[in-house]
């Protein structure tokens, strides 16, 4: 079964064709980086307009010429920017109605877990998923297809959000994650002893205090000697990675899980990948890290999740109403 995936939750216009939930036939992503870079962040109205301008071309490139057959459509319904989500949802509804093809809604966070399944044929549930992106940091047990249990989440800033804010404090270009990653490679990760919020007794995360610690450090040393931008970047990055990796490993041990999937934009961070590979070898865990192209927002992961939804004996037609708040709360059981 070929599923056409559509992803427009934020600032990437993406479409992909995936066969049987595992084989990516085509994945196309149109980035809006040049649109938002001057503003050092995503501007919702500009993002929505860019999706409208690019969605038809992106879909046509994903389908190819002549068009490959499509048996179902999966579209991101949340969480995300409402105007952006509407572009994808309306496109999916129209396309499905014109061609009499079933459509299904997919949660964006659910999709990030399927990014690992797309690339790794041997991966099967149950496994522990760490979703770490600009808007979300969550630990979720993937119990089975369509069955997820949330263990913990960020109580304030997401990891990717902290990267963007600290990059801005350091006058590094947007997006902050890649900029800090590049700068950190030239720095000493032990130069500044930034704090770690362990949230003892929980699987939750907190990065707001770390961001504030960086701001205070820079302000206090604004008139005197301070470490280089590279050293501050490396020290900050190490603090974030330290918490993400150690809390994930502890959660896997606590719930008897031997496979870990890392998904989301921050999964592209080179130090995070390095630390997870080291931890996997040390703890004898199978750690699955998607290719960099599947870490950031893409439609292949949405199509993969949609395949399993549409393959149910009596697939439930999910609501395509766009309600980001509702989707954030309801996608996984606590």
């Amino acid at each position: 079964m070929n599923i056409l995936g559509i992803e427009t939750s934020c600032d990437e216009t993406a479409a992909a064709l995936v066969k049987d939930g595992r084989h990516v036939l085509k994945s196309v992503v149109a980035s809006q980086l040049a649109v938002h870079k001057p503003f050092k962040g995503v501007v919702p109205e500009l993002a929505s307009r860019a999706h409208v301008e690019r969605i038809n071309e992106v879909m046509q490139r994903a389908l190819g010429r002549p068009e490959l057959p499509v048996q179902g459509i999966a579209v991101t319904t949340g969480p995300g920017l409402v105007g952006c989500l509407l572009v994808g949802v309306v496109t999916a509804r129209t396309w499905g109605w014109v061609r009499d093809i079933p459509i299904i809604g997919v949660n964006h966070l659910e999709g990030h877990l399927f990014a690992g399944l797309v690339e790794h044929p041997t991966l099967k549930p149950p496994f522990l998923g760490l979703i770490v992106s600009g808007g979300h940091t969550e630990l979720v047990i993937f119990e089975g297809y369509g069955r997820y249990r949330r263990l913990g989440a960020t109580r304030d800033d997401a990891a990717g959000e902290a990267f963007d804010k600290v990059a801005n404090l350091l006058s590094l270009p947007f997006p902050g994650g890649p900029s800090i990653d590049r700068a950190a490679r030239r720095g000493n990760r032990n130069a500044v002893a930034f704090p770690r919020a362990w949230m003892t007794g929980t699987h939750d995360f907190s990065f707001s205090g770390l961001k504030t610690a960086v701001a205070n450090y820079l302000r206090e040393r604004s008139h005197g000697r301070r470490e280089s931008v590279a050293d501050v970047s490396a020290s900050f990055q190490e603090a974030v990675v330290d918490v993400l990796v150690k809390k994930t490993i502890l959660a896997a041990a606590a719930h008897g899980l031997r496979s870990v999937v890392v998904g989301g934009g921050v999964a592209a961070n080179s130090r995070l990948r390095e630390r997870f590979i080291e931890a996997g070898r040390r703890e004898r865990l199978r750690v699955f890290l998607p290719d960099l192209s599947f870490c950031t927002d893409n439609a292949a992961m949405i199509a993969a999740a949609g395949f399993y939804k549409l393959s149910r004996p009596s697939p439930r037609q999910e609501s395509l109403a766009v309600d980001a708040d509702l989707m954030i709360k309801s996608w996984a059981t606590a």
Side-chain angles (χ1 to χ4, degrees):
M1 181 189 293
N2 291 345
I3 304 297
L4 173 66
I6 300 173
E7 157 61 33
T8 61
S9 64
C10 192
D11 60 335
E12 273 93 16
T13 309
L17 197 61
V18 176
K19 180 179 180 180
D20 298 335
R22 293 277 185 161
H23 308 291
V24 180
L25 303 180
K26 186 73 172 180
S27 179
V28 179
V29 179
S31 172
Q32 298 180 12
L33 178 59
V35 174
H36 303 288
K37 193 171 184 178
F39 305 98
K40 297 186 177 181
V42 176
V43 181
E45 177 62 24
L46 296 180
S48 301
R49 291 182 184 181
H51 286 310
V52 172
E53 293 169 357
R54 300 172 183 180
I55 186 66
N56 288 333
E57 177 192 351
V58 167
M59 287 184 60
Q60 192 58 61
R61 287 171 57 196
L63 290 168
R65 290 187 183 276
E67 290 186 1
L68 293 171
V70 175
Q71 286 77 46
I73 302 172
V75 58
T76 303
T77 53
L81 300 174
V82 174
C84 297
L85 291 168
L86 277 170
V87 176
V89 169
V90 171
T91 300
R93 281 176 168 169
T94 304
W95 220 81
W97 179 77
V98 169
R99 307 202 179 195
D100 194 25
I101 296 173
I103 57 178
I104 198 80
V106 174
N107 185 282
H108 181 77
L109 304 184
E110 181 182 11
H112 277 307
L113 293 178
F114 276 86
L117 287 159
V118 165
E119 284 200 282
H120 302 285
T122 62
L123 175 61
K124 292 181 175 63
F127 57 80
L128 179 65
L130 171 66
I131 304 166
V132 56
S133 66
H136 307 277
T137 303
E138 299 193 11
L139 276 172
V140 177
I141 297 179
F142 193 116
E143 296 178 331
Y145 301 111
R147 302 197 318 276
Y148 318 109
R149 179 155 56 96
R150 185 190 294 113
L151 298 180
T154 181
R155 296 191 182 182
D156 41 59
D157 290 355
E161 182 182 359
F163 270 98
D164 283 338
K165 289 179 177 177
V166 169
N168 191 41
L169 291 172
L170 294 171
S171 299
L172 291 172
F174 176 84
S179 293
I180 286 182
D181 195 359
R182 287 191 295 270
R185 293 169 193 168
R186 306 187 303 273
N188 174 9
R189 62 180 71 109
N190 298 312
V192 186
F194 288 128
R196 276 76 162 153
W198 294 111
M199 312 297 287
T200 305
T202 76
H203 295 303
D204 289 340
F205 300 91
S206 172
F207 297 104
S208 179
L210 173 59
K211 173 202 66 183
T212 302
V214 176
N216 289 339
Y217 173 85
L218 295 175
R219 184 174 61 252
E220 290 167 2
R221 287 158 176 76
S222 60
H223 301 296
R225 178 190 175 276
R226 72 183 188 198
E227 279 70 17
S228 66
V229 168
D231 286 344
V232 175
S233 296
S235 299
F236 162 77
Q237 178 175 271
E238 194 68 12
V240 175
V241 169
D242 211 22
V243 172
L244 290 173
V245 173
K246 289 183 179 178
K247 295 210 71 164
T248 301
I249 298 303
L250 287 173
H255 293 272
L257 298 166
R258 305 307 301 168
S259 296
V260 173
V261 171
V262 185
V266 182
N269 180 272
S270 63
R271 181 57 178 162
L272 184 69
R273 297 172 78 89
E274 180 182 296
R275 287 283 303 275
F276 262 117
I277 291 171
E278 292 172 354
R281 291 170 180 164
R282 184 177 63 252
E283 304 295 333
R284 297 184 180 180
L285 292 173
R286 300 174 73 206
V287 177
F288 296 89
L289 295 161
D291 182 81
L292 298 184
S293 63
F294 292 128
C295 290
T296 52
D297 294 350
N298 65 89
M301 65 185 191
I302 303 302
F307 167 78
Y308 290 98
K309 289 175 177 286
L310 290 168
S311 298
R312 295 169 182 162
S314 298
R316 176 172 60 89
Q317 184 65 35
E318 298 195 356
S319 170
L320 289 177
V322 178
D323 187 337
D325 289 336
L326 175 61
M327 296 304 293
I328 289 171
K329 295 173 184 175
S330 64
W331 86 280
T333 59

